[in-house]
Amino acid sequence: MLNQKNLLYELEFSRIRSFITNYNPRKILIQIADGLKFLSRYIIDYIESLDKDIETYLSASPSYGACDIPVDEVKALNADAIIHVGHNPYPYMGYSINIPVLYIEAFYTGDITEKLIKSIIDVLGKYRDQDIVLLASIQYIKLLDKLYNILKAHGYRVKIPRSNVEPLLRGQVLGCVYSTVKNTGSNTYLILTSGLFHGIGVCLTKPSAKVFVADIIREEVIDIGNICRKILAKRYYIVSNLINNGFKTATLIVGSRPGQYRPWLIDMLYKRLIVNDVKVYKAIVSYLDKDRLIALDQALGSDIYIVTSCPRLPIDDLSDFYKPLLTPGEALMVLNESMEYRYPW
Ligand code: SF4
């Protein structure tokens, strides 16, 4: 039915079939990661080919991760199952979703090109006598062993760490889960991915590390050092200003999506703030963007805002907000009067 080679992504369609056989859903909400939305028609057509009486709805909302299951849409539709495409389950759900969810990864079926391999070998030449940790985002995880074997054959000391966070795969990183980085003694990292997002995440987790991104799509290796230094300089500036000058009011921004709702974190930050005589407001939102933030500031006028949903928002998308917008880790740096960068919480 489907030539997956042409799509450049491999989906385990047999898992969709088993899921439907097991749960016999009548109305399925399909959520697909933004970069993979072009797969939508194939998935919908496949489900309909199994059972033409199943009603399918594609979530047209943004999808940033498995943290972000659209429970409001499920409720509106009265859907009885969810298929999330693009990620494995998020490890820190704040509440459970009361209908079956199938998480189906989309693994890249392209290869690491000779050009990229040559660049990796060239760039890592200086680090041949060090332990080099290999990591990947979920789409490229199946290529990690191949890269490991190539580098090993060239005399590099490489390792792919196991994650101690279920259900992350060996070597896998997530935008807010870099436990594999925290737990290794190594200081040199190469991430097989596309774009800089995960390279920046590794660097925020371990600012002293040497971090390279091997970009599968652009076929080049990027040293994250300068980019990360600039980001960190800005973050340290915000934190040190708050440590030196103090603040009187704070708003905790809470995420409503299951994996972005972190009651333990909200509670802990709330208590830490009020014992420091800070007036605390709480706000909840499904998606936080610049317009929502401006509206929130017009409503509450707090001195600072702390995002407890996605810790990448203050660093990436909303880094130019006109008031201090902190990650939980940065809020704790301020409260602890510590300049040791802390990511994500
Ligand atoms: S970084 Fe943000 S979008 Fe990515 S998994 Fe974490 S909370 Fe979700």
Side-chain angles (χ1 to χ4, degrees):
M1 174 198 165
L2 181 62
N3 182 351
Q4 296 204 8
K5 271 273 170 213
N6 290 343
L7 295 177
L8 276 180
Y9 289 92
E10 169 199 340
L11 296 168
E12 284 183 74
F13 277 77
S14 58
R15 289 182 54 213
I16 298 179
R17 192 177 54 235
S18 305
F19 179 74
I20 288 173
T21 306
N22 289 343
Y23 294 103
N24 191 29
R26 298 294 87 199
K27 195 186 277 185
I28 302 178
L29 178 64
I30 300 164
Q31 183 191 34
I32 304 189
D34 277 357
L36 298 169
K37 281 211 165 53
F38 67 93
L39 295 170
S40 305
R41 276 176 297 135
Y42 301 102
I43 295 162
I44 293 166
D45 291 352
Y46 179 72
I47 293 170
E48 287 178 358
S49 77
L50 295 175
D51 182 343
K52 65 178 175 35
D53 292 330
I54 296 177
E55 227 183 314
T56 56
Y57 284 82
L58 174 68
S59 172
S61 304
S63 168
Y64 299 111
C67 57
D68 188 21
I69 301 294
V71 283
D72 46 341
E73 293 168 10
V74 168
K75 192 162 182 220
L77 292 170
N78 199 20
D80 53 4
I82 303 167
I83 296 179
H84 172 95
V85 179
H87 304 96
N88 48 355
Y90 184 68
Y92 306 128
M93 288 300 207
Y95 56 90
S96 50
I97 303 160
N98 294 327
I99 57 172
V101 186
L102 173 67
Y103 296 90
I104 184 152
E105 302 85 357
F107 296 113
Y108 183 68
T109 55
D111 209 346
I112 316 176
T113 61
E114 286 299 320
K115 181 181 167 197
L116 182 57
I117 289 170
K118 186 175 176 317
S119 300
I120 293 171
I121 288 170
D122 286 351
V123 168
L124 291 183
K126 274 201 273 178
Y127 305 91
R128 196 181 283 271
D129 59 341
Q130 297 178 19
D131 288 334
I132 301 166
V133 174
L134 303 180
L135 302 166
S137 49
I138 186 76
Q139 284 89 347
Y140 307 108
I141 203 92
K142 288 194 173 181
L143 294 172
L144 261 191
D145 280 330
K146 175 174 180 175
L147 181 61
Y148 174 93
N149 289 331
I150 291 169
L151 290 174
K152 198 98 183 147
H154 279 81
Y156 288 91
R157 284 170 30 195
V158 278
K159 55 184 177 185
I160 304 175
R162 288 196 181 284
S163 173
N164 57 358
V165 176
E166 289 277 334
L168 262 64
L169 304 175
R170 182 171 147 265
Q172 185 190 347
V173 284
L174 265 188
C176 54
V177 185
Y178 291 97
S179 53
T180 37
V181 174
K182 281 197 173 129
N183 298 337
T184 64
S186 174
N187 220 34
T188 310
Y189 295 84
L190 181 94
I191 306 119
L192 203 53
T193 185
S194 51
L196 303 180
F197 183 81
H198 288 296
I200 292 168
V202 171
C203 179
L204 294 172
T205 307
K206 206 180 243 190
S208 64
K210 194 76 199 159
V211 183
F212 299 99
V213 161
D215 191 312
I216 292 266
I217 306 301
R218 290 169 61 181
E219 299 177 74
E220 62 182 19
V221 180
I222 302 138
D223 180 343
I224 289 293
N226 280 340
I227 299 160
C228 194
R229 266 188 290 281
K230 271 191 203 152
I231 293 172
L232 281 169
K234 186 167 183 176
R235 307 316 299 172
Y236 284 130
Y237 177 76
I238 295 170
V239 168
S240 69
N241 256 346
L242 289 170
I243 291 175
N244 293 332
N245 301 323
F247 56 100
K248 290 191 169 58
T249 56
T251 295
L252 290 173
I253 303 177
V254 174
S256 67
R257 292 288 164 94
Q260 297 196 355
Y261 178 60
R262 309 179 198 284
W264 63 273
L265 188 58
I266 299 156
D267 194 46
M268 184 262 280
L269 287 169
Y270 180 79
K271 286 180 180 149
R272 291 289 313 269
L273 288 161
I274 55 167
V275 296
N276 281 281
D277 290 328
V278 176
K279 165 75 189 165
V280 184
Y281 298 98
K282 292 182 214 164
I284 186 160
V285 68
S286 301
Y287 283 111
L288 186 65
D289 59 17
K290 183 74 82 55
D291 288 344
R292 289 300 86 218
L293 205 47
I294 291 169
L296 195 56
D297 190 43
Q298 283 168 353
L300 297 173
S302 287
D303 296 333
I304 71 164
Y305 294 85
I306 303 168
V307 179
T308 66
S309 53
C310 172
R312 292 303 293 261
L313 288 173
I315 291 162
D316 301 289
D317 311 36
L318 303 172
S319 65
D320 57 352
F321 186 55
Y322 54 82
K323 279 192 176 175
L325 181 71
L326 305 182
T327 67
E330 290 164 352
L332 289 170
M333 288 169 71
V334 174
L335 290 165
N336 295 338
E337 299 192 359
S338 162
M339 288 303 285
E340 191 177 328
Y341 198 74
R342 180 173 178 151
Y343 181 80
W345 31 71

